[in-house]
Amino acid sequence: MTHPLFEKHRATLDGALQAIATRGYWSPYNEMPSPKVYGETAAADGKAAFEAHLGKPFELNQPGQTGWGGRERSPYGVALDVRYPVCDPDALVAAGQAAMKGWQAVGAAGRTGICLEILDRLYRQSFEMGHAVMMTTGQGWMMAFQAGAAHALDRGLEAVAYAWREQSFVPAVTVWEKPQGKNPALVMKKHYEIVGRGVGLVIGCGTFPTWNTYPGLFAALATGNAVIAKPHSNAILPAALTVRTIRAVLAENGIDPNLVTLCVAEQRSATQALATHPGVKSVDFTGSNVFGQWLLANCKQAQVYAELAGVNNIVIESTNAYKAMLGNLAFTLSLYSGQMCTTTQAIIVPAGGIETDEGHKSFDEVCADLAAAVQKFLGKPEVACAVLGAIQSSATAERVELANSGALGRVVLASQKLANPEFPGADVRTPVLLAVDATDEAAYMEERFGPISFVVKVADAQAAIALSERIVNTHGALTVGLYSTKPEVIDAMTEASWRGKVALSINLTGGVFVNQSAAFSDYHGTGGNPAANASYCDSAFVANRFRVVQRRFHV
Amino acid sequence: MTHPLFEKHRATLDGALQAIATRGYWSPYNEMPSPKVYGETAAADGKAAFEAHLGKPFELNQPGQTGWGGRERSPYGVALDVRYPVCDPDALVAAGQAAMKGWQAVGAAGRTGICLEILDRLYRQSFEMGHAVMMTTGQGWMMAFQAGAAHALDRGLEAVAYAWREQSFVPAVTVWEKPQGKNPALVMKKHYEIVGRGVGLVIGCGTFPTWNTYPGLFAALATGNAVIAKPHSNAILPAALTVRTIRAVLAENGIDPNLVTLCVAEQRSATQALATHPGVKSVDFTGSNVFGQWLLANCKQAQVYAELAGVNNIVIESTNAYKAMLGNLAFTLSLYSGQMCTTTQAIIVPAGGIETDEGHKSFDEVCADLAAAVQKFLGKPEVACAVLGAIQSSATAERVELANSGALGRVVLASQKLANPEFPGADVRTPVLLAVDATDEAAYMEERFGPISFVVKVADAQAAIALSERIVNTHGALTVGLYSTKPEVIDAMTEASWRGKVALSINLTGGVFVNQSAAFSDYHGTGGNPAANASYCDSAFVANRFRVVQRRFHV
């Protein structure tokens, strides 16, 4: 059984299937906001489309609407004033459940084709989405365009490809014929129906409202489930745009659009009630440890896929490219003011310093040189504003102030406030860098989200690797890094990363950064340490979202 | 990377991969205890091998041994008196963890090849295993030989095939090359390492000590984990034989045999402590709701794959083969005295009776005719003893007494004790059949494990299907059945089975029974209703047992 949209997008699907099998570079979505790619008027059209939402109610025609809500505050200080439908959660669950019958009936190929069409339609909204992501999250424009659109679509497509691969393994029907010696064989016909588990709830975060939402959303949807998207209260517009487009494509294809709805809930208790609703069978969550652990402990009726906090770290043992290393780290610490779940927090350096291509560097020299590299990289205000973006939440700003005060360690580089000429209301802050001893665990061994990093002094390289492993095992990490010229050190760190189950980047000195994770090639999170119980993307991320129900009879 | 044993068993693996993809009949293990297949002396040799264990300590050379334990009581009344090593659970976990490094290093192909070799070696022990299963579980000989050996090996092989398929999708290495316009491409080499989650604990049941243990055991093992097998206290020998063979094959192939160990624990508290050990990362469990729910609630550190109790049911709406239907049901209710997790407990029949090829049959006639069919089928004592086996536990015998007393419903057919001439100590009981009204939910709507079934009177066919669905949704079921000649009834029941997520058998009147589940073709449990949160076997059963850890660097 196929579907017109499955055939229409077959090449994209085949490309994605090939990409997840070989894990080389691939993407059907262009990350450059170029008129040659998107069309001469795309940039202006997209900006106008974004601006047209401001100050207005965002209609979705969802069931059970009780009013309007949402009060996003732009980190850039821009007035948004978009209002979103507030709907009775029970009505959303019931409507999603009712819509699942038709979604099941269209089959895996139909679901895959429709998901691919949705992704294609979202792709055409990339500029509109880029502005929505930028203005709600505080990301710089280029990052918002890339991570908010193309890279998020990559992750969504990746999930659809995994979901298709797993579903395609299940034959619709078979004839089972068991020989009985001299007697006639036993012959049965068996049908296998793929059924979704139920309603999937996808809870977004405030910093990456599409990139961290699309994997769970498309994994649940492609495998036959209804989806309720519950965005972070400060980043609703990207989710609302997504849900509107999905609902339009569903309706065009004869599927009840209430299969996918937006839930705007301002009270945590409302989200908790929804997450524990008997009809909700999966929860995808990106966010804090506190709420994530609550979900894991309380959502007994659902599969929970959670990406939580961690303490990402890098071990610097030696390098043969000191300047390039410092430049790479300066970018990593600065990008989006460190407000990425993959940004390095702890940089572990031996007390005796490190050997480099520029000679021996003491611990203090490494600290000072890294501080200087960050300062140099952010020396031009226009570069600084473009890279740093704005601080997304006041809690992050408060953490920066705390770090600046010296309460958490010796300030090697203080965070500075910068003015953004284009957005006078933006809260722009440069990274703060602190030097601490390995024993100062209270300072560096919990996630301090934002542009706050620690250079941690350890006895030697062996202690550095051991500390990195212990951090990963006890607090989790999405990324670790290593700088070393010694094969035995690289081997030891590699083995530590296997035990801790964390992705390792080695000697990054060029245009790839430890906090970047490329769909189809890089697994985002391993699902094997406390920072995340699932990975973008692998078979486990999709295979338990559907079940196979068989029926058999003699023929 | 390949392995000699992977190449040796390549044809078997390919056959299994083909079978799980097409789901037709297939098995490399012969279920007939025939000298032509197994060799002229196999039966006698196997029996002698079994008997050689009796009255002796069963040496395994495991770490942390503190003494000897195990006091299996044969349902056949035969003295067993085998003693097993009792080992410190912490020592078993630590030894398993230590052994995982070498198991990881041998790679997916190596692990798969070694698992295939283990299965082949266990296959050669089929007669020995058949006697061990028969004498510990009370199964009849033919069932013990088939379900205890060949069919269990099928399920183990199936898990190995799924595990290999999923692991084989992960490339060991890739080169990621991202174009950068006019600038040189970004080029990275990335390695992907498959690592097991940790120690897998596999908790067996007293009735199917291999069939219900091999899926989890081989799924965990093949995906890179250590395994501790914790058998039911009354069915240790089949697990001990399995563990000894596994350890021998591991050692022959340079793998630390402590990768797989046997844990004999007589106190539930010891099993609880082991199941919540921080080093235990997966628990496979078959057994009671009480302990299963305890595991699900308390094993926060582990993935729990649980097969629990359910209330299997059949709707009889009409039939065009009345006698054959009754004969099929009589066998289903009698086989192993109903001590299968798949045996039908509730037979739902409209109050107005049913249309058949022998004319209309009233509700009471259906009850009486089914009772007569069971009596007829068990009329010959030698057939009865062979089919019924013996009652595995005194709790089951007590439940039969309770049902016989009439306390649970009108007794349509009373259970009788039979004498087994070969085993005078065997507790042999025929099925008890009760008639109840649909409102008597306290009687039939909880699992009453053993040869106890209810004919439940409902208003009509629609009510029958609704009741079946409600039973599945609230109490779970591994199997439901339907007898009907009407397509609209079959369609309605099919849709109910999708909503309830339960396997449906339609109009079984021949040599296939609702309580039989064939590996490679029938999914055992859907994992979507309260009777089980996982299925034998699908991708979800294996994909989350390993994680992929990547490392990347510029080239």
Coordinates of all heavy atoms in Angstrom, one line a residue, chain A residues 22 31 101 104 165-166 169 174 178 190 192 196 300 495 498 501-502 504-506 513 516 521-523 526-527 538-539 547 549-552, chain B residues 22 31 101 104 165-166 169 174 178 190 192 196-197 300 495 498 501-502 504-506 513 516 521-523 526 538-539 547 549-552:
Chain A
T22 N 24.4 5.3 6.5 CA 25.9 5.6 6.3 C 26.4 6.7 7.2 O 27.6 6.7 7.5 CB 26.1 6.0 4.8 OG1 25.4 7.2 4.6 CG2 25.7 5.0 3.8
E31 N 20.6 25.3 4.6 CA 20.8 26.1 5.8 C 21.1 27.5 5.6 O 21.2 28.3 6.5 CB 21.8 25.4 6.7 CG 23.2 25.5 6.2 CD 24.3 24.9 7.1 OE1 23.9 24.2 8.1 OE2 25.5 25.0 6.8
K101 N -8.0 6.9 14.4 CA -8.6 5.8 13.6 C -8.2 6.0 12.1 O -7.7 5.1 11.4 CB -10.1 5.7 13.8 CG -10.7 4.5 13.1 CD -12.1 4.3 13.5 CE -12.7 3.1 12.7 NZ -14.1 2.9 12.9
Q104 N -4.5 5.7 11.5 CA -4.1 4.3 11.4 C -4.4 3.7 10.1 O -3.6 3.0 9.4 CB -4.8 3.5 12.5 CG -4.5 2.0 12.5 CD -5.3 1.2 13.5 OE1 -5.5 1.7 14.7 NE2 -5.9 0.1 13.1
R165 N 11.4 3.1 8.6 CA 12.2 1.9 8.5 C 11.7 0.8 9.4 O 11.5 -0.3 9.0 CB 13.7 2.2 8.8 CG 14.6 1.0 8.6 CD 16.1 1.4 8.6 NE 16.6 1.5 10.0 CZ 17.8 1.9 10.3 NH1 18.7 2.1 9.4 NH2 18.2 2.0 11.6
E166 N 11.4 1.2 10.6 CA 10.9 0.2 11.6 C 9.5 -0.3 11.1 O 9.2 -1.5 11.2 CB 10.8 0.7 13.0 CG 12.2 0.8 13.6 CD 13.0 -0.5 13.6 OE1 12.3 -1.6 13.7 OE2 14.2 -0.5 13.6
F169 N 9.3 -2.9 8.3 CA 9.7 -4.3 8.5 C 8.5 -5.1 8.8 O 8.6 -6.4 8.8 CB 10.6 -4.3 9.7 CG 12.0 -3.8 9.5 CD1 12.7 -3.1 10.4 CD2 12.6 -4.0 8.2 CE1 13.9 -2.5 10.2 CE2 13.9 -3.4 8.0 CZ 14.5 -2.7 9.0
T174 N 0.7 -12.3 5.9 CA 1.5 -13.4 5.5 C 0.7 -14.6 5.5 O -0.4 -14.7 6.0 CB 2.7 -13.6 6.5 OG1 3.7 -14.4 5.9 CG2 2.2 -14.3 7.8
K178 N 2.8 -24.6 8.0 CA 3.6 -25.4 8.8 C 3.4 -26.9 8.3 O 2.3 -27.4 8.5 CB 3.3 -25.3 10.3 CG 4.2 -26.1 11.2 CD 4.0 -25.9 12.6 CE 4.9 -26.7 13.5 NZ 4.7 -26.5 14.9
K190 N -2.3 -14.5 8.2 CA -2.1 -13.6 9.4 C -2.0 -12.2 8.9 O -1.2 -11.9 8.0 CB -0.9 -14.0 10.2 CG -0.9 -15.4 10.6 CD 0.3 -15.8 11.5 CE 0.3 -17.2 11.9 NZ 1.4 -17.6 12.8
Y192 N -1.2 -8.2 10.1 CA -0.4 -7.4 11.1 C -0.8 -6.0 11.0 O -0.5 -5.3 10.0 CB 1.1 -7.6 11.0 CG 1.5 -9.1 11.0 CD1 1.7 -9.8 9.8 CD2 1.6 -9.8 12.2 CE1 2.0 -11.1 9.8 CE2 2.0 -11.1 12.2 CZ 2.2 -11.8 11.0 OH 2.5 -13.1 11.0
G196 N -0.8 3.0 16.7 CA -0.2 3.9 17.6 C -0.5 3.6 19.1 O -1.6 3.0 19.3
K300 N 3.3 7.1 34.7 CA 3.3 5.6 34.7 C 2.6 5.1 33.4 O 2.9 4.0 33.0 CB 2.6 5.1 35.9 CG 3.2 5.5 37.2 CD 4.6 4.9 37.4 CE 5.0 5.2 38.9 NZ 6.4 4.9 39.0
E495 N 37.6 5.1 26.0 CA 37.0 4.1 26.8 C 36.2 4.7 27.9 O 35.1 4.1 28.3 CB 38.2 3.2 27.4 CG 38.8 2.4 26.3 CD 39.6 1.2 26.8 OE1 39.5 0.9 28.0 OE2 40.3 0.6 26.0
W498 N 32.9 5.4 26.5 CA 32.0 4.2 26.3 C 31.4 3.9 27.7 O 30.2 3.5 27.7 CB 32.9 3.0 25.9 CG 33.4 3.2 24.5 CD1 33.0 4.0 23.5 CD2 34.5 2.4 23.9 NE1 33.8 3.9 22.4 CE2 34.7 2.9 22.6 CE3 35.3 1.4 24.4 CZ2 35.7 2.3 21.7 CZ3 36.3 0.8 23.5 CH2 36.4 1.3 22.2
K501 N 29.0 6.5 28.4 CA 28.0 6.6 27.3 C 27.7 8.1 27.0 O 26.6 8.6 27.2 CB 26.7 5.9 27.7 CG 26.9 4.4 27.9 CD 25.7 3.6 28.2 CE 26.0 2.2 28.6 NZ 26.7 2.0 29.9
V502 N 28.7 8.7 26.4 CA 28.6 10.1 26.0 C 29.4 10.3 24.7 O 30.5 9.7 24.6 CB 29.1 11.0 27.2 CG1 30.6 10.8 27.5 CG2 28.8 12.5 26.9
L504 N 31.9 11.9 22.1 CA 33.2 12.5 22.3 C 33.7 13.2 21.1 O 33.6 12.6 20.0 CB 34.2 11.4 22.7 CG 35.7 11.8 22.8 CD1 36.0 12.8 23.9 CD2 36.5 10.5 23.1
S505 N 34.1 14.4 21.2 CA 34.7 15.2 20.1 C 36.2 15.4 20.4 O 36.5 15.8 21.5 CB 34.0 16.5 19.9 OG 32.7 16.4 19.5
I506 N 37.0 15.0 19.5 CA 38.5 15.0 19.7 C 39.2 16.1 18.9 O 39.0 16.1 17.7 CB 39.0 13.6 19.4 CG1 38.3 12.5 20.2 CG2 40.6 13.6 19.7 CD1 38.6 11.1 19.8
F513 N 32.1 22.4 16.0 CA 32.2 22.7 17.5 C 31.5 21.7 18.3 O 30.6 21.0 17.8 CB 31.6 24.1 17.7 CG 32.2 25.2 16.8 CD1 31.7 25.4 15.5 CD2 33.4 25.8 17.1 CE1 32.3 26.3 14.6 CE2 34.0 26.7 16.2 CZ 33.5 26.9 15.0
Q516 N 27.8 21.4 18.5 CA 27.0 21.1 17.3 C 26.7 19.7 17.1 O 27.7 18.8 17.2 CB 27.7 21.7 16.0 CG 27.7 23.2 16.0 CD 28.5 23.7 14.8 OE1 29.4 23.1 14.4 NE2 28.1 24.9 14.3
S521 N 23.9 12.1 11.2 CA 25.3 11.6 11.4 C 25.6 11.6 12.9 O 26.1 10.6 13.4 CB 26.2 12.6 10.7 OG 27.6 12.1 10.9
D522 N 25.4 12.7 13.6 CA 25.6 12.7 15.0 C 24.4 12.3 15.8 O 23.3 12.9 15.6 CB 26.0 14.1 15.5 CG 27.4 14.6 14.9 OD1 28.3 13.7 14.8 OD2 27.5 15.8 14.5
Y523 N 24.6 11.3 16.7 CA 23.5 11.0 17.7 C 23.5 12.1 18.7 O 24.6 12.4 19.3 CB 23.8 9.7 18.3 CG 23.7 8.5 17.5 CD1 24.8 7.9 16.9 CD2 22.5 7.9 17.2 CE1 24.8 6.8 16.1 CE2 22.4 6.7 16.4 CZ 23.6 6.2 15.8 OH 23.5 5.1 15.1
T526 N 23.1 10.0 24.1 CA 23.2 8.6 23.8 C 22.0 7.9 24.5 O 21.7 6.7 24.1 CB 24.4 8.0 24.5 OG1 24.3 8.0 25.9 CG2 25.7 8.7 24.0
G527 N 21.3 8.5 25.4 CA 20.2 7.9 26.1 C 20.8 7.0 27.2 O 20.0 6.2 27.9
D538 N 17.5 7.2 17.0 CA 17.8 5.8 16.7 C 16.6 5.0 16.7 O 15.5 5.5 16.9 CB 18.8 5.3 17.8 CG 18.3 5.4 19.2 OD1 17.1 5.6 19.4 OD2 19.1 5.2 20.2
S539 N 16.7 3.7 16.5 CA 15.5 2.8 16.4 C 14.7 2.8 17.7 O 13.5 2.8 17.7 CB 15.9 1.4 16.1 OG 16.5 1.3 14.8
R547 N 2.6 -0.4 18.2 CA 2.5 -1.8 18.5 C 2.0 -2.5 17.3 O 1.3 -1.9 16.5 CB 1.6 -2.0 19.7 CG 2.1 -1.3 21.0 CD 3.3 -2.0 21.7 NE 4.5 -1.7 21.1 CZ 5.6 -2.5 21.0 NH1 5.6 -3.6 21.6 NH2 6.7 -2.1 20.4
V549 N -0.6 -5.4 16.1 CA -1.7 -6.2 16.5 C -2.0 -7.2 15.4 O -2.3 -6.8 14.2 CB -3.0 -5.4 16.9 CG1 -4.1 -6.3 17.3 CG2 -2.6 -4.4 18.0
Q550 N -1.9 -8.5 15.7 CA -2.1 -9.5 14.6 C -3.5 -10.1 14.7 O -4.1 -10.1 15.8 CB -1.1 -10.5 14.7 CG -1.1 -11.4 15.9 CD -0.1 -12.6 15.8 OE1 1.1 -12.4 15.8 NE2 -0.6 -13.8 15.7
R551 N -4.0 -10.6 13.6 CA -5.1 -11.5 13.6 C -4.8 -12.7 12.7 O -4.1 -12.5 11.7 CB -6.4 -10.8 13.2 CG -6.5 -10.2 11.9 CD -7.8 -9.4 11.7 NE -8.0 -9.0 10.3 CZ -7.5 -7.9 9.8 NH1 -6.6 -7.2 10.4 NH2 -7.8 -7.6 8.5
R552 N -5.3 -13.8 13.0 CA -5.0 -15.0 12.2 C -6.2 -15.9 12.1 O -7.0 -16.0 13.0 CB -3.8 -15.8 12.8 CG -4.1 -16.3 14.2 CD -2.9 -17.0 14.9 NE -3.2 -17.5 16.2 CZ -2.4 -18.2 17.0 NH1 -1.2 -18.5 16.6 NH2 -2.9 -18.7 18.2
Chain B
T22 N 9.3 -11.8 6.8 CA 8.1 -12.3 6.0 C 7.1 -12.9 7.0 O 5.9 -13.0 6.7 CB 8.5 -13.4 5.0 OG1 9.1 -14.5 5.7 CG2 9.5 -12.8 4.0
E31 N 11.0 -29.9 16.1 CA 10.2 -30.0 17.4 C 9.8 -31.5 17.6 O 9.2 -31.8 18.7 CB 8.9 -29.2 17.3 CG 8.0 -29.7 16.2 CD 6.7 -28.8 16.1 OE1 6.6 -27.7 16.7 OE2 5.8 -29.2 15.3
K101 N 33.5 -5.7 29.0 CA 34.5 -5.0 28.1 C 34.9 -5.9 26.9 O 34.9 -5.5 25.8 CB 35.7 -4.6 28.9 CG 36.7 -3.8 28.2 CD 37.9 -3.3 29.0 CE 38.9 -2.6 28.2 NZ 40.0 -2.1 28.9
Q104 N 32.0 -6.4 24.5 CA 31.8 -5.2 23.6 C 32.8 -5.3 22.5 O 32.5 -5.0 21.4 CB 32.0 -3.9 24.4 CG 31.9 -2.6 23.6 CD 32.3 -1.4 24.4 OE1 31.8 -1.3 25.6 NE2 33.1 -0.5 23.9
R165 N 19.8 -7.3 13.5 CA 19.3 -6.4 12.5 C 19.5 -5.0 13.0 O 20.0 -4.1 12.3 CB 17.9 -6.7 12.3 CG 17.3 -5.9 11.1 CD 16.0 -6.4 10.6 NE 14.9 -6.0 11.4 CZ 13.6 -6.2 11.2 NH1 13.3 -7.0 10.2 NH2 12.7 -5.8 12.1
E166 N 19.1 -4.7 14.2 CA 19.3 -3.3 14.7 C 20.7 -2.9 14.9 O 21.1 -1.8 14.5 CB 18.5 -3.2 16.1 CG 17.0 -3.2 16.0 CD 16.5 -2.1 15.0 OE1 17.2 -1.1 14.9 OE2 15.4 -2.3 14.4
F169 N 22.6 -1.9 11.6 CA 22.3 -0.6 11.0 C 23.3 0.4 11.4 O 23.3 1.5 10.8 CB 20.9 -0.2 11.4 CG 19.8 -0.9 10.8 CD1 18.6 -1.2 11.6 CD2 19.9 -1.4 9.5 CE1 17.6 -1.9 11.0 CE2 18.8 -2.1 9.0 CZ 17.7 -2.4 9.7
T174 N 32.3 6.3 9.7 CA 31.9 7.1 8.5 C 32.8 8.3 8.4 O 33.6 8.7 9.3 CB 30.5 7.5 8.6 OG1 30.0 7.8 7.3 CG2 30.3 8.8 9.5
K178 N 31.0 17.9 4.8 CA 30.0 18.9 4.6 C 30.6 20.0 3.7 O 31.5 20.7 4.1 CB 29.6 19.5 5.9 CG 28.4 20.5 5.8 CD 28.0 21.0 7.1 CE 26.8 22.0 7.0 NZ 26.3 22.5 8.3
K190 N 34.1 9.7 11.9 CA 33.3 9.4 13.1 C 33.3 7.9 13.3 O 33.0 7.2 12.4 CB 31.9 10.0 12.9 CG 31.8 11.5 12.6 CD 30.4 12.0 12.5 CE 30.4 13.5 12.1 NZ 29.1 14.1 12.2
Y192 N 31.4 4.8 15.6 CA 30.2 4.6 16.4 C 30.4 3.2 17.1 O 30.6 2.2 16.5 CB 29.0 4.5 15.5 CG 28.8 5.7 14.6 CD1 29.3 5.8 13.3 CD2 28.2 6.9 15.2 CE1 29.1 6.9 12.6 CE2 28.1 8.0 14.4 CZ 28.5 8.1 13.1 OH 28.4 9.2 12.3
G196 N 26.6 -2.1 25.5 CA 25.5 -2.6 26.2 C 25.2 -1.6 27.4 O 26.0 -0.8 27.8
R197 N 23.9 -1.7 27.9 CA 23.5 -0.7 28.9 C 24.1 -1.1 30.3 O 24.4 -0.3 31.1 CB 22.0 -0.7 29.1 CG 21.3 0.1 28.1 CD 19.9 0.4 28.5 NE 19.2 1.4 27.6 CZ 19.2 2.7 27.9 NH1 19.8 3.2 28.9 NH2 18.6 3.5 27.0
K300 N 13.9 1.9 39.0 CA 14.1 3.1 38.2 C 15.3 3.1 37.4 O 15.4 3.9 36.4 CB 14.2 4.3 39.2 CG 13.0 4.4 40.2 CD 11.8 4.8 39.4 CE 10.6 5.2 40.4 NZ 9.4 5.4 39.7
E495 N -11.6 -4.6 15.1 CA -11.3 -3.2 15.5 C -11.2 -3.1 17.0 O -10.4 -2.3 17.5 CB -12.4 -2.3 15.0 CG -12.4 -2.2 13.5 CD -13.2 -0.9 13.0 OE1 -13.6 -0.1 13.8 OE2 -13.3 -0.8 11.7
W498 N -7.7 -4.0 17.9 CA -6.7 -2.9 17.6 C -6.8 -1.9 18.8 O -5.7 -1.4 19.2 CB -7.1 -2.1 16.3 CG -6.9 -2.9 15.1 CD1 -6.2 -4.1 14.9 CD2 -7.5 -2.6 13.8 NE1 -6.3 -4.5 13.6 CE2 -7.1 -3.7 12.9 CE3 -8.3 -1.6 13.3 CZ2 -7.4 -3.7 11.6 CZ3 -8.7 -1.6 11.9 CH2 -8.2 -2.7 11.1
K501 N -5.3 -3.6 21.7 CA -3.9 -4.0 21.4 C -3.7 -5.5 21.9 O -2.9 -5.7 22.8 CB -2.9 -3.1 21.9 CG -3.1 -1.7 21.4 CD -2.0 -0.7 21.8 CE -2.3 0.7 21.3 NZ -3.5 1.3 21.8
V502 N -4.4 -6.4 21.3 CA -4.3 -7.8 21.7 C -4.4 -8.7 20.4 O -5.2 -8.3 19.5 CB -5.4 -8.2 22.7 CG1 -6.8 -8.0 22.2 CG2 -5.2 -9.6 23.3
L504 N -5.5 -11.5 18.0 CA -6.8 -12.1 17.8 C -6.7 -13.4 16.9 O -6.1 -13.3 15.8 CB -7.8 -11.1 17.1 CG -9.1 -11.6 16.6 CD1 -10.0 -12.1 17.8 CD2 -9.8 -10.5 15.8
S505 N -7.3 -14.5 17.4 CA -7.4 -15.7 16.6 C -8.9 -15.9 16.2 O -9.7 -15.8 17.1 CB -6.9 -16.9 17.4 OG -5.5 -16.8 17.6
I506 N -9.1 -16.1 14.9 CA -10.5 -16.2 14.4 C -10.8 -17.6 13.9 O -10.1 -18.1 13.1 CB -10.7 -15.2 13.3 CG1 -10.3 -13.8 13.8 CG2 -12.1 -15.2 12.7 CD1 -10.1 -12.7 12.7
F513 N -4.1 -23.6 18.0 CA -4.9 -23.3 19.2 C -4.5 -21.9 19.6 O -3.4 -21.4 19.4 CB -4.6 -24.3 20.3 CG -4.8 -25.7 19.8 CD1 -3.8 -26.5 19.2 CD2 -6.1 -26.2 19.7 CE1 -4.0 -27.7 18.7 CE2 -6.4 -27.5 19.2 CZ -5.3 -28.2 18.6
Q516 N -1.4 -21.1 21.4 CA -0.1 -21.3 20.8 C 0.4 -20.0 20.1 O -0.3 -19.4 19.4 CB -0.1 -22.4 19.8 CG -0.4 -23.8 20.4 CD -0.5 -24.9 19.4 OE1 -1.0 -24.6 18.3 NE2 -0.1 -26.1 19.8
S521 N 6.7 -15.6 13.6 CA 5.4 -15.3 12.9 C 4.4 -14.6 13.9 O 3.9 -13.6 13.6 CB 4.8 -16.6 12.3 OG 3.6 -16.3 11.7
D522 N 4.1 -15.3 15.0 CA 3.2 -14.7 16.0 C 4.0 -13.8 17.0 O 4.9 -14.3 17.6 CB 2.5 -15.8 16.8 CG 1.6 -16.6 15.9 OD1 0.9 -16.0 15.0 OD2 1.5 -17.8 16.1
Y523 N 3.5 -12.6 17.1 CA 4.0 -11.7 18.2 C 3.4 -12.2 19.5 O 2.2 -12.4 19.6 CB 3.6 -10.3 18.0 CG 4.2 -9.6 16.8 CD1 3.6 -9.5 15.6 CD2 5.5 -9.0 16.9 CE1 4.2 -8.8 14.5 CE2 6.1 -8.4 15.9 CZ 5.4 -8.3 14.7 OH 6.0 -7.6 13.6
T526 N 1.4 -7.9 22.8 CA 1.7 -6.8 21.9 C 2.5 -5.7 22.6 O 3.0 -4.8 22.0 CB 0.3 -6.1 21.5 OG1 -0.3 -5.5 22.7 CG2 -0.6 -7.1 20.9
D538 N 10.1 -7.9 18.8 CA 10.0 -6.8 17.9 C 11.3 -5.9 18.1 O 12.1 -6.2 19.0 CB 8.7 -6.0 18.0 CG 8.5 -5.4 19.3 OD1 9.5 -5.3 20.1 OD2 7.4 -5.0 19.6
S539 N 11.4 -4.9 17.3 CA 12.6 -4.1 17.4 C 12.6 -3.4 18.8 O 13.7 -3.2 19.3 CB 12.5 -3.0 16.3 OG 12.6 -3.6 15.0
R547 N 23.3 1.1 23.4 CA 23.4 2.5 23.1 C 24.6 2.7 22.1 O 25.5 1.8 22.1 CB 23.6 3.4 24.3 CG 22.5 3.3 25.4 CD 21.3 4.1 25.0 NE 20.5 3.3 24.1 CZ 19.6 3.9 23.2 NH1 19.4 5.2 23.2 NH2 18.9 3.2 22.4
V549 N 27.7 5.0 21.1 CA 28.6 6.1 21.6 C 29.5 6.5 20.4 O 30.3 5.6 19.9 CB 29.4 5.7 22.8 CG1 30.4 6.8 23.3 CG2 28.5 5.3 24.0
Q550 N 29.5 7.7 20.0 CA 30.3 8.1 18.9 C 31.5 8.9 19.4 O 31.5 9.5 20.5 CB 29.5 9.0 17.9 CG 29.0 10.3 18.5 CD 28.3 11.2 17.4 OE1 27.3 10.8 16.9 NE2 29.0 12.3 17.1
R551 N 32.5 9.0 18.5 CA 33.6 9.9 18.7 C 33.9 10.4 17.3 O 33.7 9.8 16.3 CB 34.8 9.2 19.3 CG 35.5 8.1 18.6 CD 36.5 7.5 19.4 NE 37.4 6.5 18.7 CZ 37.0 5.2 18.5 NH1 35.9 4.8 18.9 NH2 37.9 4.4 17.8
R552 N 34.3 11.7 17.2 CA 34.6 12.3 15.9 C 35.8 13.2 16.0 O 36.1 13.7 17.1 CB 33.3 13.2 15.5 CG 33.0 14.3 16.5 CD 31.7 15.0 16.1 NE 31.5 16.1 17.0 CZ 30.5 17.0 16.9 NH1 29.6 16.9 15.9 NH2 30.4 18.0 17.8

